[in-house]
Amino acid sequence: MTDPGEQRVSCTVTDGVADVRLDRADKLNALDPSMASALIATGERLRRDPRVRVVVVSGNGRAFCAGLDLRSFQAMAGGQAVRLRHDDEQPYTGAASSTGQRAAHVWAELPMPVIAAVHGVAFGGGLQIALGADIRMVAPDARLSVMEIRWGLAPDMTGTQVLPELVGRDVAKELTFTGRIVDGEEAGRIGLATKVTAEPRKAALELAREIAGKNPQAIRWAKQLLDLAGRTPIADGFAAEQQAIGELIGSRNQVEAVRANLDERTPVFTDDPQ
């Protein structure tokens, strides 16, 4: 499976794991309209693919994503308005209504877990794409920055709403107001990285394969329930738990999990939830 158009993103699915790679290595995977469209198209395709149990997002070459293409800033210097949307592309609807927001938020909206593997740089929009993942594996020498302020901008690809939840509102403000660069080690200390590892993509794929070996319906429910925490009234969260357990108990994969545990064997799950 690969993206249409200019091949900005590649994607293969193996044993339930989708390996998504930003593929503009000569530009440090910088964002332009074709890259943004390819990210959205890839995410939307994965949403509909019943084979996919976990997604890993990484960058080819020397970086995860350097943020907005330098040509966009050069255009801004001349007073031109810059958009990540193609001229013939229709606006998106929903909470993330701009192309840039969709390129980051599409990963948060996927029903299955998404793991970002970050190496090299994740600047500006690149960092915001990583923030759309459920889990971030980050190299110790990676460099991350809410870099928009350096260009006279505020983050506009969902980062202002996601970052405070991870690092705290005050730290999010300090990072955003200064645009300073943090390395992977500091990212781990402040909660920006889930795990700091010398080989983030290898670690991400290993974790993805482990998660893919669990009941996929239980994993999807778990993601949905955890994403409700702190974002919805607690009574609604409790009600959603009861709905989840009601659907899971006695289902084909849940019965298989119990039998496999009792038989001390590896479970074999189906992508059919019935």
Side-chain angles (χ1 to χ4, degrees):
M1 181 198 307
T2 57
D3 71 291
E6 297 190 42
Q7 305 298 311
R8 289 286 197 255
V9 175
S10 67
C11 179
T12 59
V13 179
T14 305
D15 297 330
V17 176
D19 185 5
V20 176
R21 308 211 70 184
L22 283 66
D23 199 7
R24 198 185 180 204
D26 60 323
K27 300 294 185 180
L28 298 181
N29 300 314
L31 295 166
D32 64 358
S34 294
M35 174 70 86
S37 295
L39 285 166
I40 296 166
T42 301
E44 295 293 354
R45 259 199 325 277
L46 293 175
R47 182 203 303 272
R48 300 188 297 269
D49 191 337
R51 301 173 300 160
V52 178
R53 299 181 181 183
V54 190
V55 177
V56 172
V57 181
S58 63
N60 274 329
R62 296 183 291 118
F64 179 76
C65 177
L68 197 61
D69 192 300
L70 182 60
R71 288 178 298 180
S72 297
F73 293 115
Q74 291 169 338
M76 289 180 195
Q80 297 181 37
V82 173
R83 300 176 302 173
L84 282 177
R85 182 167 65 89
H86 284 292
D87 290 338
D88 60 351
E89 186 178 355
Q90 295 299 312
Y92 294 93
T93 59
S97 59
S98 76
T99 297
Q101 288 176 334
R102 289 296 303 154
H105 196 58
V106 68
W107 310 106
E109 290 184 332
L110 291 187
M112 70 288 292
V114 178
I115 307 169
V118 179
H119 76 293
V121 301
F123 290 162
L127 177 59
Q128 291 177 86
I129 290 169
L131 293 177
D134 301 289
I135 295 168
R136 279 157 297 282
M137 300 290 192
V138 178
D141 59 351
R143 296 183 295 153
L144 302 87
S145 173
V146 188
M147 192 165 278
E148 284 81 0
I149 195 62
R150 294 195 179 192
W151 303 100
L153 301 171
D156 67 339
M157 288 175 58
T158 74
T160 61
Q161 304 305 298
V162 179
L163 186 61
E165 187 176 61
L166 296 175
V167 302
R169 190 176 300 270
D170 57 340
V171 174
K173 288 179 178 179
E174 184 260 333
L175 294 174
T176 304
F177 296 164
T178 65
R180 72 179 180 88
I181 296 172
V182 303
D183 63 18
E185 297 287 2
E186 183 178 358
R189 291 194 298 272
I190 66 177
L192 193 54
T194 310
K195 184 176 182 180
V196 179
T197 173
E199 298 183 79
R201 184 166 178 268
K202 178 181 178 182
L205 289 169
E206 287 175 351
L207 177 60
R209 287 188 284 268
E210 178 182 352
I211 296 171
K214 306 294 195 294
N215 176 0
Q217 283 72 50
I219 292 291
R220 290 185 177 213
W221 262 117
K223 173 172 176 173
Q224 182 176 333
L225 293 170
L226 291 168
D227 280 345
L228 290 175
R231 302 173 181 173
T232 192
I234 194 167
D236 293 344
F238 289 165
E241 281 189 347
Q242 291 304 297
Q243 180 184 355
I245 207 69
E247 292 188 13
L248 289 170
I249 290 180
S251 63
R252 180 185 305 175
N253 281 338
Q254 192 269 328
V255 170
E256 168 63 8
V258 172
R259 289 175 174 170
N261 269 312
L262 294 176
D263 295 343
E264 297 184 349
R265 60 174 174 81
T266 301
V268 180
F269 296 119
T270 176
D271 295 315
D272 182 357
Q274 301 302 318

